[in-house]
Amino acid sequence: MKYDFDEIVDRRGSFSVKWDECPTTDVIPMWVADMDFKAAPFILDAVRKRVEHGVFGYTYVPEEYYQHVIDWFQKRRGWKIEKEWIQYISGIVPALSVAVDALTAPGEKVIFQTPAYNCFFSSVRNNSREMLLSPLIYDESGDQPTYKMDFEGLERLCADPAATLFILCNPQNPAGRIWTREELNRLGEICLKHGVTIVSDEIHCELEMPGNAYVPFASISEEFQQASVTFCSPSKSFNIAGLEIANIIAADPVKRAAINKTINKFEHCDLNPLGVPALMAAYSEDGEEWLKQLNAYLWENYQILKSMISEQMPQIKVVKLEGTYLAWIDCRAITAKGVTTKEMQDSLVANEKVWINSGTMYGDGDFMRINLACPHSVFKEGISRVLAGFKRFI
């Protein structure tokens, strides 16, 4: 079946964070990480069937839910998961806070790499833990800039006796990396050496650009599986974030028990009744073909972005995209003139009527993040507006 990603869906008035929080109705939002595509027809069918039942009481998670998760990762990634390892939760951000609370004690420190998803900062801060930041190395030696891990710096941070937890983002948001098996193996060995538990946020795991393949961290070895906890969800890849469904996968019974205790302590144990059938529909054979076509479409938008920037503003560099639908662009040609990316963001909204994210919220104010996940026609118009705004600053 050929899926239509060119269809323009008017999301205004649907209580959309992305669209309805825009200050005016003529703003094109390319900021919040959700897609402007309808959910896949097979997911809509599953949700419609549940809605037509008409009763929305407390939700029980059936055996087949767990089997869908197990079969999906076994078939696509060769990762064997046991049912008892799976703990459902409403989302990855709640899972982050649960893990920080459950797996660290007051006075302990949490490591993560920057630039980083903004909720990494808030989840650590809100749990009164100290952050240890490990900046990724910005590598401009190739045809396109990219990032690599600073393993020496990471080892120094892990050697701190108070550092007990490392938050990994794989694929990485906002840098767009899909970490290789070799990189993950070296990271894991450092953490194991120093007794640091790894929490791996793998929410973008199905969003792979050509030539790149995501590897679940826990699938690499039994030692890594026991030393880690994995977060996964179909919410990003299938555009069902509002249905609030995610899973925490923990093979080690001690970590699992601590997580379960915290989930119940903060009453994170109930789910949206529409999320369960949506996940089971997503993790199906139909889901594989939909993802294949989606990723190809996203890659086309990325090529459009690169082409338009190269032709009109070669001073701006587009970071190599391996995974996610979030492009990370190097705006140092503008910030060097004394204009911050937050000022650029606000100016673009006010004048060009387009909203992209300043990198300040991710820990690097020289960059900006652009959401690629919208129809080609909307994307081209949005990038035209971005470039028109950038030209005012050069």
Side-chain angles (χ1 to χ4, degrees):
M1 178 179 179
K2 180 72 169 65
Y3 297 106
D4 183 11
F5 297 106
D6 287 323
E7 179 185 1
I8 296 176
V9 181
D10 186 359
R11 298 182 61 189
R12 294 183 180 90
S14 65
F15 311 113
S16 163
V17 169
K18 183 178 183 180
W19 286 84
D20 289 330
E21 286 194 4
C22 290
T24 57
T25 58
D26 53 354
V27 172
I28 297 176
M30 306 175 80
W31 61 298
V32 172
D34 68 17
M35 301 192 284
D36 290 332
F37 311 125
K38 283 185 178 179
F42 47 89
I43 295 178
L44 294 177
D45 288 343
V47 172
R48 188 177 296 113
K49 181 179 178 181
R50 180 66 186 84
V51 168
E52 288 174 351
H53 179 267
V55 180
F56 305 103
Y58 296 116
T59 297
Y60 165 76
V61 176
E63 288 293 321
E64 54 262 39
Y65 172 96
Y66 299 100
Q67 199 59 50
H68 275 79
V69 176
I70 291 166
D71 292 346
W72 180 260
F73 285 99
Q74 173 72 58
K75 180 181 179 182
R76 288 179 61 80
R77 311 298 172 182
W79 181 23
K80 190 177 187 309
I81 300 169
E82 302 293 339
K83 178 198 167 185
E84 59 267 24
W85 301 354
I86 303 170
Q87 172 63 63
Y88 56 80
I89 193 168
S90 60
I92 299 298
V93 174
L96 272 170
S97 289
V98 162
V100 171
D101 182 89
L103 302 177
T104 65
E108 294 183 340
K109 302 175 183 179
V110 179
I111 305 167
F112 58 89
Q113 295 162 321
T114 55
Y117 173 49
N118 51 293
C119 287
F120 284 14
F121 296 93
S122 58
S123 291
V124 176
R125 188 184 307 115
N126 291 343
N127 280 284
S128 301
R129 305 299 193 260
E130 182 178 339
M131 286 178 269
L132 293 179
L133 304 183
S134 177
L136 295 171
I137 298 170
Y138 189 51
D139 182 2
E140 299 181 83
S141 62
D143 295 338
Q144 257 188 289
T146 188
Y147 285 88
K148 57 186 180 181
M149 295 189 186
D150 177 7
F151 291 110
E152 290 74 20
L154 180 61
E155 177 116 37
R156 287 193 295 273
L157 294 179
C158 286
D160 184 336
T164 57
L165 191 69
F166 175 82
I167 304 175
L168 171 68
C169 194
N170 179 40
Q172 214 278 349
N173 170 21
R177 279 297 315 275
I178 290 183
W179 303 116
T180 65
R181 183 177 294 271
E182 291 72 25
E183 288 170 314
L184 293 173
N185 192 70
R186 187 170 177 189
L187 180 149
E189 291 296 339
I190 291 171
C191 290
L192 282 179
K193 175 182 175 182
H194 296 285
V196 175
T197 296
I198 302 96
V199 166
S200 189
D201 173 3
E202 304 187 359
I203 191 173
H204 295 274
C205 66
E206 304 298 347
L207 298 164
E208 303 160 303
M209 298 301 103
N212 299 279
Y214 146 78
V215 177
F217 175 80
S219 72
I220 295 175
S221 71
E222 180 61 24
E223 291 79 11
F224 288 2
Q225 188 150 261
Q226 294 298 320
S228 67
V229 172
T230 301
F231 304 153
C232 58
S233 170
S235 62
K236 294 296 183 191
S237 305
F238 291 94
N239 205 30
I240 54 173
L243 298 185
E244 299 188 327
I245 191 77
N247 292 295
I248 301 173
I249 301 175
D252 176 57
V254 175
K255 295 179 183 64
R256 192 163 65 242
I259 287 167
N260 287 342
K261 180 179 179 180
T262 303
I263 284 174
N264 284 279
K265 179 173 72 173
F266 293 117
E267 304 296 350
H268 283 309
C269 42
D270 288 327
L271 293 179
N272 184 321
L274 304 182
V276 173
L279 177 143
M280 292 192 292
Y283 288 168
S284 68
E285 289 185 11
D286 290 331
E288 295 195 60
E289 178 57 29
W290 193 85
L291 284 171
K292 180 180 177 181
Q293 294 183 35
L294 169 70
N295 284 332
Y297 195 90
L298 295 171
W299 182 246
E300 289 172 359
N301 269 354
Y302 179 65
Q303 298 306 311
I304 290 168
L305 174 70
K306 288 203 303 175
S307 177
M308 291 180 70
I309 288 181
S310 175
E311 291 171 4
Q312 298 184 44
M313 289 199 72
Q315 310 97 311
I316 303 298
K317 305 300 181 185
V318 181
V319 174
K320 183 179 180 182
L321 183 69
E322 297 176 351
T324 81
Y325 50 71
L326 304 165
W328 189 237
I329 59 171
D330 181 345
C331 297
R332 288 178 298 171
I334 298 176
T335 58
K337 297 179 180 295
V339 182
T340 70
T341 52
K342 180 61 170 66
E343 290 170 336
M344 292 160 62
Q345 172 185 306
D346 294 344
S347 179
L348 287 169
V349 172
N351 295 286
E352 280 71 35
K353 308 300 181 183
V354 62
W355 190 347
I356 63 175
N357 280 125
S358 164
T360 303
M361 67 191 300
Y362 310 112
D364 195 326
D366 284 326
F367 291 74
M368 299 192 81
R369 194 186 80 168
I370 300 176
N371 186 335
L372 303 168
C374 61
H376 291 332
S377 60
V378 177
F379 188 73
K380 290 175 185 176
E381 174 61 24
I383 299 307
S384 293
R385 296 185 188 188
V386 169
L387 291 173
F390 281 177
K391 289 172 184 176
R392 290 190 289 103
F393 297 109
I394 292 293

